[in-house]
């Protein structure tokens, strides 16, 4: 798609029905993101997500047999060594993933090479790394300082050299995201990184107003999903209280 100049839309999927309706829209790349820790499981950040939780959600998503490429995140602490990275990537593949994603560049280049050598397609993730939120003390835009720009270029090169088929760029300044996109042969998929990436990814619940208690600044929700669900449920509650709400009878 990058070669053809076609933009690559991607969205996160966490369960069976969501995967079915997303796949019916024709989105070509679905990610079982460890963002599920926050928007599905109610954790404060993604560092608490376990392999067992990822496998559970990947299995549910895979049961929908999406036409989209199905990628899944290696959660925090599961790819500290090449051996652990391959073992856990294989577990996600056994659960139904067709590719895995992990956060970092040069720091995980050996792990990436080992995953790719094991025959598992790998997608990188650079810029703001949610799994490092505790070390970094928050979610910060990356690429403003020259040292950060240079580090991002070196990390992107390392991912390509290690065999990554693409990379997510999260909260990278738009000029640096554009520079990275021109520099690497593989597609860049941006999130909060401006318009000049090869594709864009969002947390689906952010897009459809499904997690209204926090919406990242760069997201424009396309509907107020939770407000519509509250209205539907509220209408039914009122009906039941008035003695109805039992559904249609024959
Ligand atoms: O965990 C996730 O959902 C992600 C995407 C937002 C890129 O990593």
């Amino acid at each position: 798609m990058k070669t053809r100049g076609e933009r690559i839309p991607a969205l996160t999927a966490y369960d069976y029905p969501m995967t079915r309706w997303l796949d019916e829209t024709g989105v070509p790349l679905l990610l079982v993101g460890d963002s599920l820790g926050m928007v599905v499981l109610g954790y404060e950040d993604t560092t608490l997500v376990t392999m067992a939780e990822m496998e559970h959600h990947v299995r549910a998503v895979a049961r929908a047999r999406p036409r989209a490429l199905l990628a899944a995140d290696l959660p925090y602490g599961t790819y500290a060594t090449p051996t652990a990275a391959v073992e856990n990537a294989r577990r996600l593949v056994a659960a139904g993933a067709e590719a895995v994603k992990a956060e970092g560049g040069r720091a995980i280049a050996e792990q990436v090479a080992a995953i790719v050598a094991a025959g598992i397609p790998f997608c990188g993730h650079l810029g703001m790394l949610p799994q490092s939120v505790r070390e970094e003390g928050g979610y910060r835009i990356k690429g403003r300082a020259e040292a950060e720009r240079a580090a991002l270029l070196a990390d992107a090169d390392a991912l390509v050299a290690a065999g990554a088929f693409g990379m997510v760029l999260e909260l990278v300044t738009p000029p640096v995201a554009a520079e990275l996109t021109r520099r690497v042969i593989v597609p860049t998929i941006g999130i909060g990184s401006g318009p000049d990436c090869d594709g864009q990814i969002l947390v689906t619940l952010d897009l459809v107003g499904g997690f209204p208690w926090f919406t990242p600044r760069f997201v424009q929700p396309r509907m107020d999903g939770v407000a519509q669900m509250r209205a539907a449920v509220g209408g039914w509650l009122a009906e039941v209280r008035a003695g109805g709400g039992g559904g249609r009878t024959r």
Side-chain angles (χ1 to χ4, degrees):
M1 289 172 84
K2 176 164 179 145
T3 315
R4 291 195 297 268
E6 270 176 58
R7 292 299 176 112
I8 306 166
L11 286 167
T12 60
Y14 307 118
D15 62 27
Y16 175 85
M18 183 181 201
T19 306
R20 284 199 65 171
W21 63 255
L22 281 171
D23 204 46
E24 285 162 9
T25 69
V27 60
L29 171 57
L30 290 175
L31 171 71
V32 185
D34 62 355
S35 53
L36 68 83
M38 298 167 82
V39 299
V40 176
L41 302 179
Y43 295 146
E44 195 180 322
D45 58 47
T46 60
T47 65
L48 298 170
V49 177
T50 64
M51 269 304 295
E53 286 164 343
M54 287 304 300
E55 287 172 291
H56 174 83
H57 284 274
V58 171
R59 280 191 210 104
V61 166
R63 270 178 219 121
R65 298 184 170 276
R67 291 165 299 159
L69 176 67
L70 178 52
D73 269 334
L74 280 163
Y76 180 73
T78 64
Y79 51 98
T81 65
T83 308
V86 171
E87 187 188 314
N88 288 312
R90 284 200 172 119
R91 281 174 64 176
L92 292 178
V93 169
E98 296 169 311
V100 300
K101 174 168 87 56
E103 298 180 8
R106 286 162 294 170
I108 61 161
E110 282 181 33
Q111 287 89 319
V112 176
I115 290 170
V116 174
I120 300 171
F122 180 87
C123 180
H125 187 147
L126 296 178
M128 193 282 287
L129 306 181
Q131 292 178 7
S132 304
V133 63
R134 294 187 184 203
E135 288 100 295
E136 299 215 343
Y139 300 105
R140 268 196 330 103
I141 293 182
K142 290 292 167 69
R144 285 201 174 120
E146 176 48 33
E148 275 180 5
R149 172 184 161 270
L152 283 165
L153 299 187
D155 284 336
D157 289 347
L159 286 177
V160 174
F165 71 82
M167 62 190 76
V168 167
L169 301 179
E170 180 157 6
L171 288 188
V172 172
T173 59
V176 174
E179 185 179 359
L180 285 166
T181 301
R182 286 191 303 271
R183 182 181 180 94
V184 295
I185 190 170
V186 300
T188 62
I189 314 286
I191 173 160
S193 298
D196 296 321
C197 299
D198 296 307
Q200 299 288 339
I201 186 164
L202 286 178
V203 167
T204 302
L205 293 178
D206 291 339
L207 182 66
V208 299
F211 194 82
W213 308 278
F214 173 75
T215 306
R217 258 186 299 169
F218 57 83
V219 179
Q220 285 174 287
R222 303 300 158 111
M223 63 182 282
D224 197 342
V226 167
Q228 292 189 30
M229 288 191 279
R230 280 192 197 117
V233 173
W236 179 80
L237 285 179
E239 259 179 63
V240 171
R241 286 179 183 135
R248 292 196 187 105
T249 48
R250 284 171 188 255

